Amino acid sequence: MIKGTRAEDIGAVMQKIPWHLRKKAKEVTLDMAANMIKAVRLSFPHASRVIDRFHVQKLAFDAVQELRIKYRWEAIDQENEAIAKAKLNKETYEPEIFPNGDTLKQVLARSRFLLFKHQSKWTLSQLERATFLL
């Protein structure tokens, strides 16, 4: 274990490993922190740097979540505009309802967990939502 996260501190400890052993390293797995990339580059210059799976998945999940929220806000805005338009025309607003009883904004709100687990593990309601969503 190395105390601290500064590249120089990590590099100083790594330099204690003999050069002939460090140059044998073919691959080093690390997170996406710039200080870790720098420390590994300096300590193991011949090794490939590979970002660990957890951090790559987290980036992908965050991006999907951001899109889902963006589309939900768009659906909310569209519904608000449709409500205002119906009010102007003295009509009753009726949102589109999917066969499972959800509106588009409800499908987008309730689809969070189905997007992050394998299709084989979806519940029946998640499978139904995925049909409308995807």
Side-chain angles (χ1 to χ4, degrees):
M1 296 292 261
I2 301 170
K3 185 176 181 178
T5 57
R6 288 184 45 228
E8 294 76 20
D9 296 341
I10 297 166
V13 173
M14 292 297 169
Q15 297 300 321
K16 294 178 182 178
I17 301 170
W19 169 246
H20 72 279
L21 293 176
R22 286 188 286 129
K23 75 178 183 181
K24 286 183 182 180
K26 294 182 180 174
E27 184 176 287
V28 178
T29 303
L30 59 153
D31 63 17
M32 294 185 289
N35 60 327
M36 298 306 281
I37 294 169
K38 181 180 177 184
V40 168
R41 187 173 27 90
L42 294 172
S43 302
F44 303 97
H46 300 298
S48 296
R49 292 173 297 281
V50 178
I51 304 301
D52 69 282
R53 179 179 165 214
F54 169 81
H55 287 88
V56 172
Q57 279 183 314
K58 185 174 180 333
L59 273 181
F61 289 164
D62 289 348
V64 169
Q65 178 73 341
E66 193 176 310
L67 282 173
R68 185 188 66 81
I69 291 169
K70 175 186 169 224
Y71 291 134
R72 182 163 182 249
W73 277 110
E74 286 177 6
I76 289 169
D77 290 343
Q78 287 173 354
E79 185 175 270
N80 288 340
E81 287 173 16
I83 290 169
K85 187 176 178 181
K87 202 174 198 178
L88 276 175
N89 296 332
K90 297 183 181 183
E91 297 172 352
T92 304
Y93 173 72
E94 301 264 345
E96 178 185 358
I97 299 191
F98 292 105
N100 70 341
D102 288 346
T103 63
L104 178 60
K105 72 179 186 183
Q106 288 171 326
V107 168
L108 288 164
R110 296 172 181 168
S111 64
R112 177 179 181 191
F113 296 108
L114 81 88
L115 294 170
F116 298 112
K117 63 179 170 179
H118 193 272
Q119 182 177 348
S120 65
K121 296 182 180 176
W122 288 347
T123 64
L124 288 175
S125 60
Q126 288 174 330
L127 179 61
E128 199 170 20
R129 273 191 201 105
T131 305
F132 309 131
L133 186 65
L134 306 175

